[in-house]
């Protein structure tokens, strides 16, 4: 199956220790210093929106946001442009970008206390209701491919998957792993899969 | 295995009206042709605009990142979707929602497409549209197909055509209306949609309907065309009709609409607007966009002549059966409650309910029913909120809702007994905030967030003001709570600042070699009486100090108002001189080293910039002769406003003219400090050095502002009416703004 418009949301570890709008400056610095390997365009402040995209970093290939959907804060990477390769290769690319952004945010001198994101708790989303309606049929097709990817990216780690239950929402699966690699380790591992 | 997915085109084939499906197919082909270079980019630009696909900030591939100007290297950088507009750059999709009416299925669909093609946000505009941002042009055909499958079109949402037809959100439940204008808004919108007679306009044409004269809801006074519901009794029979208005508009030069016809029978409104469209298409300006709105045509011809032409045109129109059929269909319009109305009981009320009930609930004409306004910060809704709103509309009302021009959502026909449960249900959505329509509920255009023309951050300022005022809301005096704040990112006035008590529009000033974001303060506009009067500009204040402006103006009003006095009356009573002096202390800008916050905009930490700016050498201020000249010009135009207030039209006109000459002289001083004070010489030198060289020309408005000076030089002495004096003052204000902008550009050049 040709999945496109894949997204990943890495969960925040604990609470944010500062107001969410502090990410605005950091995302502008991402643009100024070419911190990520994709072209970044602009920063958008949605902090006034209830449980919304929070602070949005608009890119050409993908958007990133400090997303607050359902009151759960996380770093969301949403690919917009088509990706080539197998499902595993596509997922590796998306997750790697999320990991690179998370690592950069965790290491920022400007965000205090430093935010921490979970490399072992994330949700994979397919942002396309045409190819991936939120149905049991989609789950049955997508899940084996996701499991195969996780087995390769997180070798030897146990994995629990939980699908998004509301059929009106985008199809997605929450991934919970038994071990938490550092983002350095994860980025290295994913580089071999892309 | 998942079966083959096909395409939205195949999947929705049976659910789209055939003509609409065909139009979208044609558009998809045009996209392909443009990509292959087989369709002229200008033609394609107007084509996509008429499909609602708009440009967005940075789509020219340039952006200043706060450190340096950058070229955005989009993948298909050599393909353009319009002049200077990169193919891959994210764009905006405007979706017309006639009179703001949406059913639950449409709301759910909007939620889906906002996630799949945009950034997950549906933005409510000041004209009851929905806008999606960061949309790729190649996604637009499928986006349109999905909208078409639930009965929504984006056709003519932008471009030189009839824009969304708006109407009061209270229509049908209002206690003061003549009759429900909703089905008439539907008829006007659908009759004129794609009509051959509206395809050749020089500019856009906006229509609004109102159920009465005195409330604000329809805002017919600021529209190109307005309809106000009226009834009359003939031979004992009540007849429905409309007062028809023409030639209103905001933007750079605001005009109040004029009465075109006192009473047009309901069955005549469609041919009347067809005739108006023909006259406008035939005689309206086509070359000079700045003079192409119908307001300029009405001004040029005079309303009597315009009326005569419309009547003549009407008489020659070939009969169209839809004129009456579509009006007869209005009788079938049903907007019924879901359940019988019941009174609000005495039982337990949730915490916060009383305050919310006071500000957000309007008692409908129909006993035991209420209209509820949900306050939506900056008009932004997530997909989750949209789906939950669809659910609530099915649970509490008849599966519909309306979008308001104040960027809120309105639920009608809520049984009073259900109000506490509705309030509870709104809490998880974050939409239970009190203060709908209050000073804390601020309207703002997209401004520098996404608009290509934005100068200052209207949304950033609105967010900040709303945050502060919401925190203080419970303590605010009731007369302060009722004030309205509206903000535009530039003089184009999409935030409708002209009709707010306290309005702002973005501009900038140069201080010590740095560009500083400012907002022009516009006080005393009138929201009631269908946007009955426009405020006048008082002066530009640094963006950082605008919260102080609001606090000061609101506090003075609270302390000094006389019994029963409105804000407009108060401003008029104390006079503009006093208002200006109230703000004088807030106009200063600390030096760059002393406080850098003044040099960036709200919500955007980048150093404010209109391009690459060299860093000034001095720690203190360097005030040039040009700075002085421009300050003199501002003073002069202020005096012109005062004269206008005192009905001294000639004096107002003369001062307005002199202010422009002063500003021009200030600019000329950059080249010749010995410039004469003779207006003939100044205008002639300005023409040679600033106009003919293009130096003064605005990137978007071209020579428009320069032409104001030349016109005033020729004919200011002929000004004979309050309206023409008012216009001259407005033009002087804009000329001075343009002089500031020109001076900034000159300083920024290497
Ligand atoms: S007022 Fe100016 S900044 Fe605001 S949307 Fe209109 S053109 Fe853009």
């Amino acid at each position: 199956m040709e999945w496109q418009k894949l997204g990943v949301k890495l969960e925040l570890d604990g609470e944010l220790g500062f107001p969410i709008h502090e990410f605005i400056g950091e995302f502008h610095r991402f643009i100024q210093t070419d911190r990520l390997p994709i072209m970044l365009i602009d920063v958008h402040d949605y902090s006034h929106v209830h449980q919304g995209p929070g602070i949005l970093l608009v890119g050409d290939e993908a958007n990133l946001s400090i997303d607050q959907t359902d009151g759960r804060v996380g770093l969301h990477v949403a690919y917009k442009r088509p990706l080539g390769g197998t499902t595993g290769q596509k997922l590796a690319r998306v997750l790697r970008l999320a990991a690179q952004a998370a690592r950069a945010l965790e290491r920022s001198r400007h965000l205090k206390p430093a935010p921490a994101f979970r490399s072992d708790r994330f949700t994979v989303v397919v942002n396309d209701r045409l190819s991936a309606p939120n149905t049991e049929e989609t789950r049955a097709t997508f899940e084996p491919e996701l499991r195969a990817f996780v087995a390769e990216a997180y070798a030897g780690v146990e994995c629990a998957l939980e699908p998004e239950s509301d059929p009106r929402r985008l199809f997605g699966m929450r991934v919970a792993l038994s071990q938490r690699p550092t983002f350095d380790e994860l980025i290295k591992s994913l580089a071999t899969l892309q | 295995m998942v079966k083959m997915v096909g395409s939205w085109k195949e999947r929705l084939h049976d659910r789209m009206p055939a003509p609409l499906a065909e139009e979208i197919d044609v558009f998809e082909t045009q996209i392909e042709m443009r990509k292959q270079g087989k369709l002229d980019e200008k033609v394609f630009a107007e084509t996509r605009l008429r499909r609602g696909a708009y440009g967005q900030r940075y789509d020219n591939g340039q952006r200043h990142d706060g450190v340096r100007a950058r070229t955005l290297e989009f993948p298909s950088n050599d393909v353009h979707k319009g002049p200077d507009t990169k193919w891959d750059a994210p764009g905006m999709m405007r979706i017309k929602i006639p009179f703001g009416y949406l059913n639950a299925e449409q709301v759910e669909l909007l939620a889906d497409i906002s996630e799949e093609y945009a950034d997950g946000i549906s933005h409510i505009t000041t004209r009851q549209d929905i806008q999606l941002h960061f949309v790729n042009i190649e996604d637009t055909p499928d986006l349109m197909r999905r909208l078409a499958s639930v009965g929504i079109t984006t056709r003519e949402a932008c471009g030189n055509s009839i824009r969304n037809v708006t109407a009061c959100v209270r229509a049908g439940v209002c206690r003061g209306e003549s009759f429900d204008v909703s089905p008439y808004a539907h008829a006007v919108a659908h009759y004129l949609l794609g009509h051959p007679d509206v395809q050749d306009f020089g500019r856009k044409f906006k229509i609004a309907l109102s159920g009465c004269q005195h409330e604000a809801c329809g805002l017919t006074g600021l529209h190109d065309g307005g309809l106000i519901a009226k009834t009359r009794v003939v031979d004992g029979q009540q007849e429905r009709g409309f007062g028809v208005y023409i030639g209103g508009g905001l933007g750079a030069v605001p005009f109040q609409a004029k009465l075109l016809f006192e009473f047009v029978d309901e069955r005549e409104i469609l041919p009347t607007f067809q005739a108006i469209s023909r006259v406008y298409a035939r005689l309206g300006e086509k070359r000079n966009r700045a003079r192409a709105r119908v307001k300029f045509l009405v001004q040029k011809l005079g309303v009597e002549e315009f009326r005569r032409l419309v009547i003549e045109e009407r008489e020659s129109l070939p009969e169209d059966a839809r004129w009456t059929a579509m009006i007869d269909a209005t009788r079938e319009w049903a907007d019924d409650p879901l359940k019988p109305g019941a009174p609000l009981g005495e039982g337990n009320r949730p915490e916060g309910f009383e305050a919310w009930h006071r500000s957000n609930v309007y008692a409908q004409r129909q006993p035991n029913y209420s209209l509820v306004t949900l306050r939506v910060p900056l008009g932004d809704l997530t997909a989750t909120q949209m789906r939950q709103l669809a659910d609530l509309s099915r649970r509490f009302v008849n599966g519909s809702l309306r979008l308001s021009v104040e960027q809120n959502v309105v639920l009608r026909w809520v049984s009073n007994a259900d109000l506490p449960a509705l309030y509870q249900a709104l809490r998880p959505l974050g939409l239970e905030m009190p203060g709908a329509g209050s000073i804390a509920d601020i309207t703002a255009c997209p401004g520098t967030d996404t608009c290509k023309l934005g100068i200052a951050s209207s949304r950033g300022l609105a967010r900040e003001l709303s945050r502060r005022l919401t925190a203080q809301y419970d303590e605010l005096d009731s007369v302060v709570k009722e004030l309205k704040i509206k903000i535009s990112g530039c003089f184009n006035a999409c935030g409708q600042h002209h009709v707010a008590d306290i309005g702002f529009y973005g501009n900038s000033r140069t201080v010590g070699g740095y560009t500083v974001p400012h907002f022009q303060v516009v006080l005393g506009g009138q929201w009631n009486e269908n946007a009955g009067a426009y405020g006048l500009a008082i002066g530009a204040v640094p963006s950082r100090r605008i919260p102080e402006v609001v606090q000061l103006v609101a506090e003075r009003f609270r302390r000094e108002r006389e019994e029963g006095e409105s804000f407009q009356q108060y401003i008029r009573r104390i006079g503009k001189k006093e208002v200006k002096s109230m703000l004088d202390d807030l106009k200063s800008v600390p030096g760059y080293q002393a406080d850098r916050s003044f040099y960036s905009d709200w919500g955007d930490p980048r150093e404010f910039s209109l391009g690459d700016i060299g860093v000034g050498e001095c720690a203190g201020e360097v005030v040039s002769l040009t700075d002085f000249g421009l300050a003199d010009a501002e003073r002069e135009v202020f005096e012109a406003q005062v004269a206008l207030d005192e009905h001294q039209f000639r004096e107002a006109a003369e001062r307005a003219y002199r202010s422009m000459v002063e500003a021009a002289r200030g600019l000329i001083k950059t080249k010749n400090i010995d410039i004469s004070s003779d207006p003939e010489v100044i205008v002639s030198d300005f023409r040679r050095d600033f106009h003919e060289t293009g130096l003064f020309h605005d990137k978007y408005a071209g020579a428009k502002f320069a032409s104001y000076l030349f016109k005033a030089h020729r004919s200011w002495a002929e000004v004979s009416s309050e309206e023409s004096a008012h216009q001259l003052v407005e033009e002087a204000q804009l000329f001075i703004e343009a002089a500031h902008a020109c001076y900034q550009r000159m300083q920024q050049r290497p």
Side-chain angles (χ1 to χ4, degrees):
Chain A
M1 180 65 200
E2 172 73 11
W3 311 104
Q4 290 294 353
K5 297 175 92 174
L6 295 166
V8 163
K9 179 174 170 180
L10 299 176
E11 295 175 16
L12 183 78
D13 195 356
E15 303 277 305
L16 262 191
F18 50 84
I20 193 168
H21 59 74
E22 307 241 329
F23 283 104
I24 295 173
E26 192 56 28
F27 279 164
H28 277 291
R29 282 185 284 275
F30 273 30
I31 297 175
Q32 289 159 354
T33 58
D34 297 313
R35 198 81 54 87
L36 296 178
I38 61 167
M39 187 180 86
L40 300 173
I41 301 173
D42 196 21
V43 182
H44 225 63
D45 183 355
Y46 280 127
S47 59
H48 56 279
V49 178
H50 178 76
Q51 300 186 349
I55 308 301
L56 176 70
L57 175 56
V58 180
D60 172 56
E61 282 173 62
N63 290 346
L64 289 86
S65 60
I66 303 298
D67 183 79
Q68 299 172 305
T69 301
D70 298 331
R72 291 199 294 269
V73 181
L75 174 63
H76 185 203
V77 169
Y79 253 79
K80 302 187 281 187
R81 288 203 176 275
L83 290 166
T86 63
T87 301
Q89 288 169 323
K90 291 175 196 168
L91 285 169
R93 183 132 169 224
V94 179
L95 185 57
R96 189 158 186 261
L97 180 63
Q100 288 168 320
R103 182 177 65 180
L105 291 170
E106 289 183 353
R107 290 180 182 172
S108 166
R109 287 184 294 117
H110 303 275
L111 300 176
K112 290 188 184 122
F117 296 93
R118 304 278 304 250
S119 62
D120 60 339
R121 295 283 185 283
F122 57 89
T123 301
V124 175
V125 177
V126 189
N127 187 10
D128 180 9
R129 288 180 173 82
L130 184 66
S131 66
N134 194 359
T135 59
E136 175 53 30
E137 202 178 8
T138 302
R139 189 204 60 76
T141 315
F142 189 76
E143 185 173 331
E145 297 188 66
L146 178 59
R147 280 196 186 280
F149 162 71
V150 170
E152 275 200 274
Y154 294 79
V157 170
E158 281 177 37
C159 162
L161 299 180
E162 186 193 333
E164 163 61 54
S165 58
D166 182 347
R168 292 191 300 180
R169 289 194 173 195
L170 290 165
F171 171 75
M173 300 200 86
R174 183 167 183 267
V175 180
L177 303 167
S178 60
Q179 283 176 34
R180 180 177 180 176
T182 66
F183 283 116
D184 278 338
E185 291 165 344
L186 182 59
I187 290 164
K188 211 165 144 198
S189 159
L190 292 169
T192 63
L193 302 180
Q194 278 182 240
Chain B
M1 279 292 291
V2 174
K3 58 180 175 288
M4 282 301 290
V5 291
S7 64
W8 285 115
K9 181 174 169 179
E10 290 160 6
R11 187 176 290 188
L12 301 174
H13 182 255
D14 296 338
R15 297 187 57 190
M16 291 184 285
L20 203 49
E22 200 178 314
E23 278 175 18
I24 299 167
D25 290 348
V26 169
F27 183 54
E28 196 166 42
T29 307
Q30 288 166 324
I31 288 180
E32 196 48 44
M33 286 170 66
R34 177 64 215 133
K35 268 169 77 179
Q36 295 173 17
K38 292 177 182 159
L39 182 62
D40 176 77
E41 65 182 23
K42 282 194 190 133
V43 175
F44 181 73
E46 182 59 20
T47 303
R48 72 172 159 75
L49 286 169
R50 290 191 186 201
R51 300 272 156 229
Y54 219 76
Q56 207 177 292
R57 205 167 179 86
Y58 313 122
D59 66 8
N60 60 357
Q62 296 296 320
R63 180 177 180 276
H64 199 284
D65 69 12
V67 178
R68 60 189 184 280
R70 287 200 178 213
T71 298
L72 301 171
E73 300 290 354
F74 291 108
S76 334
N77 245 357
D78 49 343
V79 186
H80 292 80
K81 50 187 173 182
D84 218 14
T85 311
K86 303 287 184 190
W87 187 259
D88 297 305
M92 180 265 277
M93 193 76 212
R94 184 175 295 147
I95 301 166
K96 276 171 129 173
I97 311 294
F99 59 102
Y101 175 93
L102 284 170
N103 65 39
E105 187 192 11
Q106 292 170 329
V107 174
E108 287 168 332
L109 192 278
L110 285 163
D112 288 356
I113 62 173
S114 75
E115 286 176 322
E116 291 175 61
Y117 305 117
D119 59 0
I121 294 290
S122 299
H123 172 72
I124 306 167
T125 75
T126 54
R127 295 203 71 257
Q128 298 178 308
D129 299 290
I130 288 283
Q131 282 181 189
L132 304 179
H133 292 101
F134 308 107
V135 176
N136 187 298
I137 185 71
E138 295 188 42
D139 284 334
T140 56
D142 276 348
L143 188 158
M144 292 172 191
R145 289 184 180 109
R146 294 172 75 178
L147 287 169
S149 74
V150 294
I152 297 177
T153 177
T154 62
R155 183 166 184 185
E156 291 161 8
C158 312
N160 300 333
S161 53
I162 303 274
R163 300 294 185 83
N164 194 32
V165 174
T166 61
C168 329
V169 287
R170 290 183 188 169
V173 302
C174 176
R175 300 195 297 267
E177 70 185 2
S178 298
F179 54 84
D180 183 358
V181 298
S182 310
Y184 297 91
H186 181 271
V188 171
H190 285 83
Y191 180 71
L192 294 175
L193 181 71
H195 195 288
D197 289 337
V198 309
Q199 303 305 312
D200 193 26
F201 291 171
R203 284 286 266 131
K204 59 191 169 186
F205 193 99
K206 298 177 179 174
I207 297 175
L209 289 87
S210 211
C212 75
Q213 184 80 49
H214 303 294
E215 295 282 334
C217 324
L219 301 177
T220 50
L222 58 81
H223 280 80
D224 298 283
L227 292 143
I228 296 185
K230 286 180 171 180
T231 54
R232 68 181 176 191
V233 177
V234 176
D235 298 333
Q237 295 287 313
Q238 191 184 67
E239 290 182 351
R240 285 180 171 191
F242 291 86
V244 174
Y245 291 77
I246 191 77
L250 298 179
V253 184
F255 279 62
Q256 276 285 342
K258 294 183 169 55
L259 182 66
L260 185 65
F261 297 114
E262 188 73 48
F263 188 93
V264 174
D265 184 88
E266 58 177 340
R267 286 164 168 256
E268 269 298 306
I269 60 171
L270 299 181
T272 298
F273 268 84
Q274 187 182 350
I276 289 171
S277 299
R278 282 191 171 199
V279 171
Y280 177 45
R282 195 172 72 239
L283 300 176
E285 173 65 46
K286 297 276 168 50
R287 279 192 303 269
N288 180 359
R289 281 176 64 81
R291 307 288 294 178
R293 292 288 286 273
V294 75
K295 61 190 179 184
F296 295 108
L297 180 62
V298 174
Q299 186 197 36
K300 188 170 120 193
L301 298 175
V303 73
E304 294 77 17
E305 174 63 5
F306 192 89
R307 184 182 298 124
R308 189 190 69 73
L309 289 165
V310 171
I311 292 169
E312 190 179 271
E313 193 70 51
R314 166 67 188 95
E315 282 163 4
S316 68
L317 285 178
E319 194 68 19
D320 184 339
R322 293 181 307 158
W323 290 340
T324 47
M326 289 177 95
I327 295 303
D328 289 345
T330 62
R331 301 285 185 259
E332 284 149 37
W333 168 256
D335 185 22
D336 299 325
L338 176 71
K339 50 175 118 169
L344 176 61
E346 292 299 321
N348 279 349
R349 309 272 168 85
E351 196 188 332
F353 175 82
E354 302 296 343
W356 174 81
H357 187 263
R358 270 196 302 279
S359 56
N360 296 38
V361 177
Y362 169 85
Q364 291 186 191
R365 176 172 80 239
Q366 299 82 2
N368 289 324
Y369 286 104
S370 290
L371 174 151
V372 174
T373 303
L374 315 184
R375 196 175 141 194
V376 181
L378 300 185
D380 291 341
L381 289 165
T382 64
T384 307
Q385 285 175 314
M386 294 280 276
R387 287 189 197 104
Q388 289 172 339
L389 279 175
D391 292 344
L392 292 187
S393 76
R394 290 184 178 111
R395 178 178 155 199
F396 289 101
V397 295
N398 55 10
S400 74
L401 52 79
R402 297 207 190 185
L403 311 175
S404 80
V405 295
E406 296 198 89
Q407 301 178 300
N408 287 325
V409 168
V410 167
L411 291 173
R412 303 135 48 92
W413 295 105
V414 180
S415 167
N416 288 346
D418 282 344
L419 288 169
L422 173 61
Y423 175 74
Q424 285 284 36
L426 288 170
R427 279 185 153 170
L429 283 71
L431 293 173
E432 82 291 9
M433 258 182 303
S438 74
I439 190 169
D441 184 15
I442 297 170
T443 305
C445 76
T448 48
D449 275 15
T450 50
C451 174
K452 289 162 84 163
L453 305 178
I455 296 173
S457 178
S458 42
R459 278 165 61 89
L461 176 61
R463 191 183 297 111
E464 181 63 23
L465 290 176
S466 181
R467 189 182 62 73
R468 294 182 190 215
L469 291 163
T470 300
Q472 300 166 9
Y473 185 74
D474 289 344
E475 281 77 51
L476 292 176
D477 190 280
S478 61
V479 296
V480 171
K481 278 183 180 165
E482 283 169 18
L483 298 178
K484 286 189 188 294
I485 299 179
K486 296 186 186 291
I487 309 174
S488 304
C490 77
F491 58 77
N492 282 312
C494 304
Q496 301 175 339
H497 61 261
H498 291 291
V499 292
D501 297 293
I502 306 174
F504 302 105
Y505 72 86
N507 56 21
S508 66
R509 294 283 183 271
T510 302
V511 178
Y514 295 93
T515 314
V516 180
H518 278 61
F519 278 91
Q520 182 69 233
V521 181
V522 181
L523 295 180
Q526 190 181 12
W527 182 251
N528 288 340
E529 302 276 346
N530 278 296
Y534 299 152
L536 269 183
I538 304 297
V541 173
S543 184
R544 285 287 148 187
R545 295 208 198 271
I546 295 296
E548 293 172 73
V549 171
V550 172
Q551 185 139 13
L552 182 71
V553 170
E555 178 52 21
R556 287 275 304 260
F557 173 55
R558 186 194 68 76
R559 266 201 335 256
E560 298 169 6
R561 76 186 276 270
E562 292 173 352
E563 186 63 29
E565 192 174 41
S566 70
F567 187 76
Q568 289 74 34
Q569 290 163 336
Y570 166 74
I571 291 291
R572 227 174 292 142
R573 175 168 62 77
I574 67 170
K576 290 226 167 51
K577 268 187 181 156
E578 178 58 26
V579 181
K580 181 175 180 285
S581 71
M582 200 193 295
L583 300 183
D584 274 349
D585 289 347
L586 297 176
K587 290 186 177 167
S588 66
V589 179
Y592 182 75
Q593 301 301 341
D595 188 348
R596 290 197 185 185
S597 70
F598 277 75
Y599 297 81
S600 63
D601 214 336
W602 292 107
D604 187 344
R606 287 176 295 166
E607 187 167 297
F608 187 78
S609 166
L610 303 174
D612 287 323
I613 308 165
V615 178
E617 294 175 357
C618 52
E621 295 282 311
V622 176
V623 180
S624 68
L625 290 172
T626 302
D627 285 321
F628 281 124
L630 293 174
D632 285 348
E634 285 194 307
R635 197 191 58 244
E636 195 70 53
V637 79
F638 179 77
E639 294 295 342
Q641 289 175 352
V642 173
L644 202 58
D645 269 8
E646 292 163 357
H647 305 290
Q648 305 296 326
F649 313 137
R650 269 194 77 78
E651 189 193 341
E654 184 174 3
R655 283 185 180 279
Y657 163 62
R658 282 213 309 253
S659 73
M660 287 195 246
V661 172
E662 251 339 295
R665 188 163 182 253
L667 284 179
I668 294 166
K669 283 184 178 170
T670 57
K671 297 175 184 292
N672 171 20
I673 57 168
D674 294 316
I675 174 71
S676 150
S677 56
D678 180 349
E680 278 304 334
V681 177
I682 293 168
V683 173
S684 155
D685 283 12
F686 176 84
R687 186 187 293 278
R688 186 191 64 219
D689 294 336
F690 287 85
H691 174 59
E692 285 168 5
T693 58
L695 191 56
F696 190 79
H697 294 181
D698 181 83
K699 186 170 179 192
Y700 297 101
K704 177 168 80 167
F705 301 123
S707 73
Y708 292 162
L709 171 69
F710 304 138
K711 191 179 75 178
H713 184 60
R714 274 196 316 272
S715 59
W716 74 266
E718 291 157 30
V719 166
S720 57
S721 69
E722 178 165 4
E723 188 172 56
S724 45
H726 190 112
Q727 190 187 340
L728 189 54
V729 173
E730 293 285 349
E731 288 177 348
Q733 189 81 44
L734 290 163
F735 181 85
I736 295 165
E737 288 296 340
H740 276 289
C742 174
Y743 185 46
Q744 279 169 14
R745 289 195 299 273
M746 290 169 74
Q747 289 177 301
Q748 287 159 15
R749 288 192 311 177

